[in-house]
């Protein structure tokens, strides 16, 4: 049975902080490795891609580097040069003209990086713990791309932690200058902020490691810095508490992420996104087991992600598990996803061969129903 727009919870408008979402179908952050070269600058092709998806209740941008040293994947955009700000302005103007709303996802890869992306400097991490199973995407001198084992990281000094917090603040400021409606702090998927939170990647003995509150300190200080630039009602955070890829294995996710959630709740941010990202690697959905220490402890708008079909999304909203759903691969392959959900399909299949790198193929050429 196909739900009509009137009784479909995915099409109920939603107020989230300062945002009025016309529907609850969010474009999940999706790295596509198609930033303009040189300089990792967004351009017209990227604007076209996001405009195609402007029917989303909200667009989360692909993860965007806050600094050169925080960069972990080739061809991914940044927000730390004037050229990148101007490039993103092209994108946000186009998305706004198409009636959309868009947040920039702020990214520092930490140890998920390769030295070639910041020559002469090893990746920075909470602790000098290499990840043998971790790979990132690099491009060689001839322009050939491929997956490469990460370089061994170095432990961040106190001064480097301080400058990183400042990089987050500057990136948030630049994002607003670039016309974004707000920012999402990427604290998921095994990148820098997650590496500080998780017990297996943070073996520091200073104020940023050891106890739970110490492991959370960097994220909380980054939040203070970002909130000094962007009002809380325009800020989101992404967490992936049970993420076990990229060498992540926190000893007690319920304790760690319950504590993080309590804190974010007090900050009154617009949206907290809980991502069950392991489904990308074929894992069974585990959102149910995350709700007890996230939904139950967050007094605000909760976004759920990971392996949602429209049917499962409706059920989650109807059950009150979350307030909106972000779709990754389904939205990647279906630029008019809200319209397709409204019409009960059909859906294009995503092609993993064109997820990362390349041009328009597999990026802006997925057909809409009306073309
Ligand atoms: C091609 C691709 C790129 C991704 N890039 C990002 C990213 O930049 N930031 C992020 O937080 N998650 C990223 N993810 C994870 C997705 O946001 C999402 O969590 C995952 O795809 C599961 O949701 P889905 O089942 O709806 O696809 C990426 C996933 C894919 C498939």
């Amino acid at each position: 049975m196909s739900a009509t727009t009137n009784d479909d919870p995915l099409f109920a408008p939603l107020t989230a902080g300062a945002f009025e979402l016309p529907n609850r179908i969010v474009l999940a952050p999706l790295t596509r490795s198609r930033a303009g070269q040189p300089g990792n600058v967004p351009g017209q092709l990227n604007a076209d891609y996001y405009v195609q998806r402007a029917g989303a209740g909200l667009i989360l941008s692909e993860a965007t580097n806050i600094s050169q040293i925080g960069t972990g994947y080739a061809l991914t955009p940044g927000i730390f040069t004037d050229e990148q700000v101007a490039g993103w302005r092209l994108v946000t103007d186009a998305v706004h003209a198409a009636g959309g709303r868009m947040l920039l996802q702020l990214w520092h890869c930490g140890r998920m990086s390769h030295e070639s992306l910041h020559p002469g400097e090893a990746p920075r991490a909470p602790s000098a713990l290499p990840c043998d199973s971790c790979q990132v995407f690099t491009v060689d001198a001839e322009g050939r791309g491929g997956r490469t084992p990460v370089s061994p990281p170095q432990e961040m000094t106190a001064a480097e932690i301080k400058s990183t917090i400042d990089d987050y603040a500057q990136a948030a400021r630049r994002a607003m200058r670039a016309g974004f409606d707000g920012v999402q702090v990427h604290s998921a998927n095994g990148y820098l902020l997650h590496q500080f939170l998780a017990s297996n990647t943070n073996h520091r003995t200073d104020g940023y490691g050891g106890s739970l509150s110490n492991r959370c300190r960097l994220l909380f200080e980054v939040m203070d810095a970002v909130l000094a630039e962007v009002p809380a009602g325009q800020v989101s955070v992404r967490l992936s508490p049970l993420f076990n890829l990229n060498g992540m294995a926190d000893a007690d996710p319920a304790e760690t992420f319950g504590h993080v959630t309590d804190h974010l709740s007090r900050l009154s941010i617009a949206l907290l996104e809980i991502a069950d990202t392991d489904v990308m690697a074929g894992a069974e959905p585990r959102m149910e087991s995350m709700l007890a220490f996230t939904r139950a402890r967050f007094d605000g708008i909760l976004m759920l992600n990971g392996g949602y079909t429209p049917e499962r999304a409706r059920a989650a909203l109807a059950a009150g598990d979350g307030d909106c759903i972000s779709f990754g691969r389904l939205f990647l392959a279906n630029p008019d996803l809200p319209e397709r959900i409204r019409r009960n399909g059909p859906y294009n299949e995503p092609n993993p061969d064109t997820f990362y790198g390349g041009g328009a193929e597999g990026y802006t050429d997925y057909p809409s129903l009306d073309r």
Side-chain angles (χ1 to χ4, degrees):
M1 196 185 76
S2 77
T4 64
T5 302
N6 285 341
D7 61 17
D8 187 339
L10 283 167
F11 290 96
L14 176 67
T15 301
F19 309 121
E20 300 294 337
L21 278 54
N23 62 56
R24 294 168 186 237
I25 302 163
V26 175
L27 173 62
L30 293 169
T31 291
R32 306 305 311 278
S33 306
R34 286 166 168 87
Q37 301 304 315
N40 293 326
V41 179
Q44 190 59 48
L45 180 67
N46 310 111
D48 293 346
Y49 164 81
Y50 284 111
V51 163
Q52 289 177 345
R53 288 156 183 78
L58 184 69
I59 292 175
L60 299 172
S61 83
E62 64 209 272
T64 299
N65 304 299
I66 62 162
S67 60
Q68 193 70 48
I69 186 66
T71 303
Y73 295 76
L75 311 180
T76 56
I79 186 73
F80 56 91
T81 69
D82 291 344
E83 292 73 22
Q84 291 163 345
V85 171
W88 277 121
R89 171 57 87 170
L90 188 78
V91 176
T92 60
D93 281 351
V95 165
H96 289 147
R101 294 141 298 282
M102 184 170 184
L103 308 190
L104 181 79
Q105 192 186 48
L106 300 173
W107 195 26
H108 188 306
C109 294
R111 72 174 186 169
M112 288 295 298
S113 181
H114 190 266
E115 207 170 320
S116 62
L117 296 157
H118 26 76
E121 287 201 82
R124 291 182 191 163
S127 302
L129 296 166
C131 175
D132 296 335
S133 63
C134 293
Q135 295 187 330
V136 291
F137 184 83
T138 56
V139 173
D140 67 18
E142 282 77 48
R144 282 187 304 262
R147 296 190 75 83
T148 320
V150 296
S151 307
Q154 67 179 29
E155 178 175 314
M156 286 170 80
T157 64
E160 286 164 354
I161 289 178
K162 202 166 172 298
S163 69
T164 300
I165 295 169
D166 195 46
D167 288 342
Y168 273 98
Q170 286 204 39
R173 195 179 317 146
R174 284 173 176 273
M176 300 313 281
R177 211 190 302 151
F180 284 95
D181 299 290
V183 295
Q184 181 181 63
V185 175
H186 192 351
S187 188
N189 300 356
Y191 297 113
L192 183 77
L193 296 175
H194 194 179
Q195 291 159 24
F196 268 84
L197 293 177
S199 58
N200 78 308
T201 42
N202 184 345
H203 292 183
R204 298 180 73 90
T205 54
D206 64 0
Y208 291 91
S211 66
L212 174 60
S213 57
N214 280 356
R215 283 187 278 119
C216 293
R217 191 178 308 282
L218 179 61
L219 172 61
F220 295 175
E221 290 186 1
V222 164
M223 290 307 299
D224 289 345
V226 167
L227 292 173
E229 303 293 338
V230 185
Q234 293 164 256
V235 173
S236 172
V237 174
R238 177 176 249 221
L239 303 173
S240 56
L242 298 185
F243 185 78
N244 284 134
L245 306 172
N246 295 349
M248 301 305 293
D250 187 52
D252 191 344
E255 183 191 54
T256 302
F257 289 92
H259 182 74
V260 171
T261 302
D262 288 342
H263 185 87
L264 296 177
S265 188
R266 284 193 294 274
L267 295 180
S268 301
I269 56 171
L271 291 146
L272 174 60
E273 183 182 18
I274 303 298
D276 187 10
T277 326
D278 295 41
V279 296
M280 277 173 66
E284 284 299 309
R286 290 187 293 178
M287 186 56 74
E288 293 289 306
S289 46
M290 291 190 256
L291 294 175
F293 56 87
T294 54
R295 179 57 153 176
R297 292 166 69 162
F298 189 68
D299 186 18
I301 300 297
L302 198 73
M303 182 177 355
L304 307 180
N305 168 264
Y308 282 89
T309 59
E311 295 68 32
R312 192 173 156 237
R314 285 188 189 105
L317 295 184
D321 291 349
D323 302 294
C324 55
I325 308 291
S326 66
F327 294 88
R329 291 160 295 174
L330 199 57
F331 221 145
L332 183 157
N334 294 278
D336 55 347
L337 184 63
E339 186 55 28
R340 285 177 189 262
I341 291 177
R342 193 176 273 129
R343 295 195 212 169
N344 209 20
Y347 300 101
N348 304 317
E349 283 294 317
N351 175 10
D353 294 343
T354 51
F355 278 2
Y356 306 104
E361 189 196 347
Y363 189 51
T364 50
D365 64 354
Y366 283 106
S368 296
L369 284 173
D370 56 11
R371 78 165 168 90

